[in-house]
Amino acid sequence: MKNLVKILTLITLIYSCQGPIGNETSLTGKQTRSIDTMQPEALVEANVTEPPQIEYPDFSIPATDFMLMSYIAFSENELIRVDRKANIQEEWVFDQTLKTDTAEYQVYQIGHDAAEASGENQHFVTTQWVYVDTAKKELFEYDVNDECLNKWTYEGNKQIFYPVYELSPKTTALVVPLSEIGERRGVLDSIFNDIAKTDGVYETRGIPKSHSLYDTTGIYKLVKSSKLEAAFRTYFNQELYVYGTNGYVKTKVKDIVYGLDECISNIFAFCFDKKSIATIGRPLFCSEKMIDLNYAKEYNKIEQSIQAYESKQPNDYSDSTKTKVFAHVGDFYFTYHDDFKVEHKSHNSKCKFPGRSIYWVDAKSSVDCFWATGLDWFGIPCD
């Protein structure tokens, strides 16, 4: 099914302490990990093993600045995390340009201003050195112990954010849409297509004998296949942090199902035990990573800036539901477009295109979209 909002490919960043590099041999010690093509966000055709190319969305601010801001917001570097939790504003200072036989790097110091209790002896404290390959648009973190660069790729370029939706009063799930016909398929699509052909998913009226109904009380007629669940479990068998409007919990996927429809978005649903996420309010995102989200009391000004930005984006279809902010990390604001009325697909909800997004908004109310994904519950193909 056609999504109104496409997932923006995440910025390729990097992982690991301090002190600049000065020679070529240091750069080849512990070089970068390859992209994990077996992740659901990896757009690969069946039987293709080459890693996908990472592309940057178009931002109104320079790509290097955006990489550095993203690194400061989402890095798992312990020193940066301590400063982030203490609301210490990290900045970057350009250090030098370093040319090697294989690349040219812009070297930056990540850190913050500090001073004695009396206010004297003001100085810049360097928390981390990072190297930006501007040609490849990649950012590296310097490992002082091994004297090498590590490309911070969220540990193998795994997708750091996944959307979570309430699909019915009974089912809340991490949702991955099936690719549309004509689009390049991901690994989950390839697995599903193989099973669908074998089991006759597209040929059988109703559902195949080897599949069973899981939940019919919401938007989708959700179906369970033990064969499909076993194949998908490989990719979603770890604990995930699930973030909601009131906080987060760490839990695992309980059941894996799918939902097909002639009109609305087709999906794979990785369902959580609702009791395990009952304390977090409305569940919205999940991640393998611990994200240091801050929950402010109100985001009226930020929401107005985001809504003004969205109003300028071309859309053939829209609804009256407004985007809401529920948390932030630095200048990155986590939002949802949803009214959470999912009793049945014939319900009176005004939200036909639920979505989850992360926006960058600065002090001057400049806005850019960092990450976004959405579903079509209106049914554009049948309109």
Side-chain angles (χ1 to χ4, degrees):
M1 297 295 114
K2 183 175 181 180
N3 296 330
L4 285 187
V5 188
K6 297 296 183 182
I7 295 179
L8 297 177
T9 308
L10 290 176
I11 290 184
T12 306
L13 299 173
I14 316 161
Y15 188 66
S16 199
C17 269
Q18 301 177 2
I21 289 178
N23 57 67
E24 168 68 10
T25 56
S26 298
L27 300 177
T28 59
K30 216 189 344 178
Q31 204 55 0
T32 65
R33 299 184 181 99
S34 61
I35 293 173
D36 185 354
T37 60
M38 298 304 286
Q39 291 302 309
E41 77 280 2
L43 301 178
V44 294
E45 298 289 358
N47 303 318
V48 175
T49 58
E50 293 182 359
Q53 296 297 312
I54 301 301
E55 297 180 358
Y56 282 74
D58 293 327
F59 298 108
S60 62
I61 56 178
T64 296
D65 289 356
F66 205 88
M67 280 192 285
L68 293 166
M69 286 189 293
S70 302
Y71 172 75
I72 291 171
F74 302 116
S75 169
E76 288 190 300
N77 179 292
E78 286 302 320
L79 295 176
I80 292 179
R81 288 197 67 185
V82 168
D83 289 346
R84 197 160 55 211
K85 291 180 179 179
N87 291 320
I88 295 175
Q89 183 65 44
E90 298 279 31
E91 300 176 345
W92 62 86
V93 175
F94 177 75
D95 183 79
Q96 63 173 307
T97 298
L98 177 65
K99 295 183 179 180
T100 72
D101 293 339
T102 57
E104 179 175 306
Y105 298 94
Q106 301 294 318
V107 184
Y108 294 87
Q109 298 177 49
I110 303 293
H112 58 272
D113 291 326
E116 296 176 358
S118 62
E120 298 179 349
N121 190 28
Q122 292 191 0
H123 58 284
F124 185 81
V125 177
T126 300
T127 307
Q128 179 62 52
W129 293 85
V130 296
Y131 291 64
V132 177
D133 183 335
T134 54
K136 294 182 179 179
K137 296 181 180 178
E138 296 174 342
L139 185 150
F140 296 79
E141 198 174 37
Y142 179 60
D143 185 330
V144 66
N145 294 323
D146 293 321
E147 297 185 339
C148 68
L149 295 181
N150 290 325
K151 185 167 68 172
W152 187 44
T153 57
Y154 301 127
E155 294 184 5
N157 201 50
K158 296 177 182 177
Q159 184 167 322
I160 192 171
F161 307 112
Y162 290 100
V164 175
Y165 293 97
E166 295 178 54
L167 300 176
S168 81
K170 298 180 180 180
T171 302
T172 298
L174 178 168
V175 173
V176 178
L178 278 75
S179 298
E180 281 191 14
I181 296 174
E183 293 181 343
R184 299 188 69 192
R185 294 180 298 172
V187 65
L188 297 189
D189 298 292
S190 297
I191 292 172
F192 178 76
N193 287 342
D194 289 342
I195 292 175
K197 290 176 183 177
T198 302
D199 293 357
V201 170
Y202 297 114
E203 300 170 0
T204 307
R205 288 189 176 184
I207 61 173
K209 292 182 179 180
S210 58
H211 298 210
S212 60
L213 286 175
Y214 180 79
D215 183 2
T216 61
T217 64
I219 302 296
Y220 294 93
K221 181 187 291 183
L222 295 174
V223 178
K224 190 169 186 178
S225 160
S226 57
K227 190 187 303 183
L228 185 73
E229 186 170 40
F232 280 7
R233 184 72 67 179
T234 303
Y235 308 108
F236 290 93
N237 200 35
Q238 71 280 19
E239 284 193 309
L240 297 167
Y241 292 94
V242 184
Y243 300 91
T245 52
N246 295 336
Y248 73 92
V249 294
K250 194 174 184 181
T251 188
K252 296 186 73 170
V253 168
K254 180 182 177 183
D255 299 305
I256 302 174
V257 299
Y258 67 91
L260 300 181
D261 191 280
E262 292 181 356
C263 299
I264 66 176
S265 298
N266 291 319
I267 62 167
F268 303 123
F270 300 81
C271 309
F272 299 109
D273 183 343
K274 294 202 73 161
K275 292 181 181 179
S276 71
I277 58 176
T279 62
I280 67 172
R282 296 291 188 179
L284 300 167
F285 289 80
C286 68
S287 175
E288 293 181 23
K289 302 292 186 182
M290 174 63 189
I291 310 299
D292 299 316
L293 288 181
N294 296 300
Y295 290 79
K297 292 183 179 179
E298 63 88 18
Y299 290 101
N300 290 340
K301 184 178 179 181
I302 298 297
E303 288 173 349
Q304 290 172 6
S305 298
I306 291 173
Q307 291 163 10
Y309 170 89
E310 291 178 331
S311 68
K312 298 176 183 178
Q313 308 308 309
N315 268 325
D316 294 330
Y317 297 82
S318 63
D319 57 45
S320 59
T321 306
K322 294 186 180 298
T323 297
K324 300 289 291 183
V325 177
F326 74 97
H328 71 283
V329 179
D331 291 332
F332 292 88
Y333 292 85
F334 287 63
T335 79
Y336 60 91
H337 180 89
D338 208 331
D339 64 4
F340 307 107
K341 296 180 180 179
V342 292
E343 288 77 10
H344 193 272
K345 63 192 270 184
S346 61
H347 65 83
N348 295 319
S349 170
K350 296 180 180 179
C351 184
K352 303 301 182 182
F353 306 103
R356 309 288 185 259
S357 305
I358 302 172
Y359 287 93
W360 169 82
V361 185
D362 71 1
K364 298 179 180 180
S365 296
S366 298
V367 180
D368 263 308
C369 186
F370 174 61
W371 177 92
T373 182
L375 297 173
D376 170 15
W377 286 351
F378 169 75
I380 292 174
C382 298
D383 184 22

